[in-house]
Amino acid sequence: MGTIRQRMVGLMEDRACSVRDLSKELGISEKDVYGHLEHIRRSICGKGKRLSMQPYECLSCGYVFKDRNRIQKPGRCPKCRESHIQGVMFRISG
């Protein structure tokens, strides 16, 4: 079975997962998933692995958050100020 973080790592090694997918699979809130993802990103780095994620994208104007390093979903688009942001998929590679 393992801890929540071990189970998250196992899921993300098998396939790309959204925050909602992880939340449903593990039975925890989406807010908690973001906290675990931050910790997982730091801990797998020493094992030669990497947490990859596609960039967030504004669904209103198409702005892509390509330089964003934070895992947490942005509140608003800096270009059009809309809050309709597409969620991303996370995967562990390496």
Side-chain angles (χ1 to χ4, degrees):
M1 199 78 166
T3 66
I4 289 176
R5 290 181 183 155
Q6 289 170 340
R7 290 170 36 208
M8 284 177 74
V9 168
L11 289 170
M12 291 185 293
E13 285 177 334
D14 292 341
R15 59 184 166 90
C17 300
S18 69
V19 171
R20 182 166 287 156
D21 294 337
L22 293 168
S23 172
K24 285 181 182 178
E25 186 79 30
L26 300 169
I28 60 175
S29 71
E30 290 183 20
K31 184 178 178 180
D32 289 339
V33 171
Y34 285 113
H36 289 301
L37 285 171
E38 286 287 351
H39 186 272
I40 288 170
R41 180 167 59 174
R42 289 189 306 263
S43 64
I44 64 172
C45 198
K47 298 175 184 174
K49 296 182 180 181
R50 194 186 106 155
L51 179 65
S52 58
M53 61 185 237
Q54 69 187 43
Y56 286 100
E57 183 176 347
C58 176
L59 295 173
S60 298
C61 71
Y63 178 80
V64 177
F65 293 78
K66 59 185 170 206
D67 296 328
R68 184 176 176 89
N69 291 327
R70 285 186 270 163
I71 290 177
Q72 192 83 15
K73 184 177 178 181
R76 285 190 213 173
C77 173
K79 188 175 178 185
C80 70
R81 301 289 183 217
E82 291 290 327
S83 60
H84 201 90
I85 308 294
Q86 179 182 13
V88 299
M89 302 294 275
F90 296 94
R91 184 172 181 101
I92 294 179
S93 57

